[in-house]
Amino acid sequence: MEYYVEPEKKIPVTDRVDVLVAGGGPAGIGAAVAAARQGCKTMLIEQAGDVGGVATTGMMSHWTGETRGGLYEEILDRSRDDERNGDRQTINPEKLKNVLLEMLEEAGVLVRTYTFASDVVMEGDRIRGVLLESKSGREAVMAGTVIDCTGDGDLAARAGAPFYKGREEDGQMQPMTLMFKVAGVDEKRAIFPGSFETNIPVPDGMVQDLGKANLPSPAGHVLLYRSTIPGVVTVNMTNCTGADGTSAGDLARAHRDCRMQMEAIVAFLRRFVPGYEECYIISSASIIGVRETRHFLGESTIRREDVENAVQHEDWAVKDAHFNFDVHNLTGAGLDATGCQAKFTQKKGYTIPYGCLVPKKVEGLLLAGRDICGTHMAHSSYRVMPICVKLGEAAGNAAAICTREGICPRQVPVKELQQMLGR
Ligand SMILES: Cc1cc2nc3c(=O)[nH]c(=O)nc-3n(C[C@H](O)[C@H](O)[C@H](O)COP(=O)(O)OP(=O)(O)OC[C@H]3O[C@@H](n4cnc5c(N)ncnc54)[C@H](O)[C@@H]3O)c2cc1C
């Protein structure tokens, strides 16, 4: 490999904050709002023009699962679309973008969109700040505590926190999807298969079987969701396997491959799915949805058994998390052999220990969202957005304790955190 040695240069330190949150997805929103409401000077860094992450720029259909409480329910109440069927969990992305911005602004968060968190400022193993890249050039912001909500753990990786990618045995990661919406759907006749196991009879056969036979591989499953707009349906059917969301080349390839599947998917819907005969594409996500990349090693690890048995850990940072094992097929369409949706019988919510948010080796850093410390199987459950908001809320409150008491995340008294979370 050829290298270019960058000449030494001075980078302006443009701010000093108590808490810096990198990534404005569900976890980052939870973290930034929680820290700022506790009185911390808080900055949120987001590479996109809007906040919300996969929930908004990723054009997500709905908040999944039975998780309850906290900031998550506040977001649902404020962003629900009352004009249509009153379902709180179906997302109106345009409304949600504004509600999230309002919540950040009301809490006093300094919001820096259009800005990429590119590197860390370290003092030994202690993170002291973050380097930002934007139209304004390179700058440094110093922070008492950094919360990595980038989904991929970009900053934690740069800081030297140990991690592995994907499935433990072979490093394979869940596939990516570019979400899109179609309009012109006759909802009176339309079907809405919402899971891989919803195999509905249609005139030419069973809808999932027809998908496998007629869609361009690795697309092949049929996932369609009502939106908040009449006649408009959110389509979760493009599919790219074998791509790594921490590689810019793979992201570009996956985005392109998914985009190229869209026309074929619409042709399939028109040909085989009742109610979709006249449907047409009206919009697509501005970023590809990445399901899984880095798993960091932390003070605690959440595993399959914790989810399956709804284990109640005394040192919880998140309570009442509920979802099944949503492992998409790692090499093709549909549900992976290890996934479990309809057959998931656990009704009780599980807990996530605080230690899952605290990476090994690096001080001054917290993880929240899909990049916490958990196994591939547990991740397939806690990666859903309601649980990510709760992880963020816990991290934001923990960072507030660090600010108030002048301690590092590793030293946070969990009982005090639990009192703040109030449940
Ligand atoms: C295709 C798809 C379908 C899904 N379906 C559902 C569903 O129906 N319901 C559900 O509840 N969950 C669903 N999920 C899961 C869920 O959307 C994600 O796991 C969840 O959004 C993760 O939240 P997060 O905050 O950790 O990360 P993200 O939502 O990925 O947010 C990370 C944010 O950080 C920003 N960012 C990343 N790196 C940097 C950087 N270096 N500097 C600055 N900003 C950065 C990104 O732009 C993004 O805004 C789905 C996921 C995918 C990919």
Side-chain angles (χ1 to χ4, degrees):
M1 165 101 62
E2 199 184 347
Y3 288 96
Y4 162 73
V5 179
E6 202 175 1
E8 190 177 289
K9 63 178 172 188
K10 285 187 181 165
I11 297 167
V13 176
T14 53
D15 217 334
R16 287 181 183 275
V17 297
D18 299 319
V19 181
L20 186 141
V21 179
I29 299 290
V33 170
R37 283 187 184 174
Q38 289 295 330
C40 298
K41 182 178 177 186
T42 305
M43 184 181 280
L44 177 70
I45 308 299
E46 167 56 49
Q47 63 180 343
D50 284 301
V51 294
V54 173
T56 57
T57 45
M59 203 175 266
M60 201 40 56
S61 47
H62 62 292
W63 303 86
T64 307
E66 301 298 324
T67 300
R68 291 276 169 265
L71 271 175
Y72 164 55
E73 289 212 69
E74 188 179 330
I75 293 170
L76 286 190
D77 285 337
R78 290 178 69 159
S79 63
R80 71 191 292 174
D81 213 319
D82 283 322
E83 286 138 47
R84 224 166 89 94
N85 69 37
D87 168 21
R88 291 195 309 170
Q89 283 175 252
T90 300
I91 295 175
N92 173 342
E94 298 311 314
K95 187 166 183 184
L96 184 59
K97 285 172 189 173
N98 289 8
V99 164
L100 297 179
L101 267 184
E102 275 165 24
M103 287 177 71
L104 291 164
E105 282 171 14
E106 283 165 16
V109 177
L110 305 163
V111 179
R112 283 284 305 269
T113 47
Y114 290 101
T115 303
F116 191 75
S118 60
D119 216 333
V120 288
V121 179
M122 298 297 291
E123 201 178 279
D125 281 340
R126 173 84 158 89
I127 188 167
R128 291 287 180 196
V130 172
L131 295 186
L132 307 177
E133 302 275 356
S134 70
K135 283 282 189 187
S136 309
R138 193 182 294 186
E139 62 192 292
V141 173
M142 299 303 172
T145 306
V146 172
I147 309 178
D148 190 330
C149 300
T150 60
D152 303 313
D154 286 356
L155 295 180
R158 298 272 191 282
F163 65 85
Y164 62 91
K165 287 182 191 168
R167 191 158 67 175
E168 284 74 19
E169 57 267 37
D170 57 10
Q172 286 212 58
M173 294 172 255
Q174 290 215 35
M176 299 185 198
T177 295
L178 189 70
M179 301 288 293
F180 68 97
K181 286 185 196 276
V182 292
V185 177
D186 176 359
E187 284 192 33
K188 287 200 191 74
R189 293 185 304 111
I191 56 165
F192 298 94
S195 79
F196 301 120
E197 290 155 332
T198 323
N199 204 359
I200 301 171
V202 291
D204 289 296
M206 300 298 283
V207 76
Q208 299 295 354
D209 304 343
L210 288 167
K212 282 206 178 64
N214 292 285
L215 287 164
S217 176
H221 47 254
V222 185
L223 296 175
L224 299 162
Y225 301 92
R226 281 180 206 279
S227 78
T228 56
I229 304 170
V232 174
V233 170
T234 309
V235 182
N236 186 341
M237 289 171 57
T238 67
N239 201 30
C240 178
T241 53
D244 178 350
T246 66
S247 150
D250 280 15
L251 285 169
R253 174 174 62 83
H255 195 105
R256 180 239 169 245
D257 287 356
C258 287
R259 183 158 287 289
M260 293 301 144
Q261 294 167 7
M262 285 165 55
E263 289 290 342
I265 290 169
V266 170
F268 168 85
L269 294 175
R270 286 182 181 163
R271 162 82 178 78
F272 291 106
V273 188
Y276 293 78
E277 296 84 355
E278 310 276 324
C279 77
Y280 53 93
I281 298 169
I282 50 160
S283 55
S284 56
S286 41
I287 52 164
I288 188 151
V290 177
R291 291 190 173 81
E292 179 181 23
T293 51
R294 298 185 181 104
H295 299 255
F296 287 87
L297 306 187
E299 290 300 313
S300 311
T301 307
I302 177 154
R303 300 170 198 283
R304 170 195 202 111
E305 307 79 70
D306 296 299
V307 176
E308 220 160 41
N309 304 324
V311 174
Q312 305 300 305
H313 291 280
E314 273 196 16
D315 55 348
W316 59 267
V318 169
K319 256 175 116 169
D320 303 323
H322 191 276
F323 196 50
N324 53 43
F325 294 112
D326 189 13
V327 190
H328 291 226
N329 185 345
L330 277 68
T331 53
L335 190 65
D336 194 75
T338 60
C340 179
Q341 293 187 330
K343 295 193 187 79
F344 186 82
T345 52
Q346 180 58 262
K347 295 272 179 274
K348 276 197 292 186
Y350 60 94
T351 55
I352 301 178
Y354 172 66
C356 296
L357 283 62
V358 183
K360 285 202 183 293
K361 195 165 173 268
V362 180
E363 301 300 333
L365 179 67
L366 281 159
L367 303 164
R370 70 172 168 83
D371 60 8
I372 63 161
C373 176
T375 62
H376 165 78
M377 282 305 294
H379 169 276
S380 75
S381 176
Y382 66 70
R383 72 184 180 85
V384 291
M385 299 185 297
I387 302 175
C388 287
V389 175
K390 286 192 131 193
L391 284 163
E393 187 175 1
N397 279 290
I401 297 176
C402 294
T403 307
R404 204 164 46 229
E405 298 177 16
I407 57 175
C408 274
R410 216 174 304 282
Q411 289 137 13
V412 164
V414 178
K415 291 280 169 245
E416 194 179 330
L417 174 63
Q418 292 172 347
Q419 272 163 16
M420 287 166 79
L421 293 169
R423 297 178 300 283

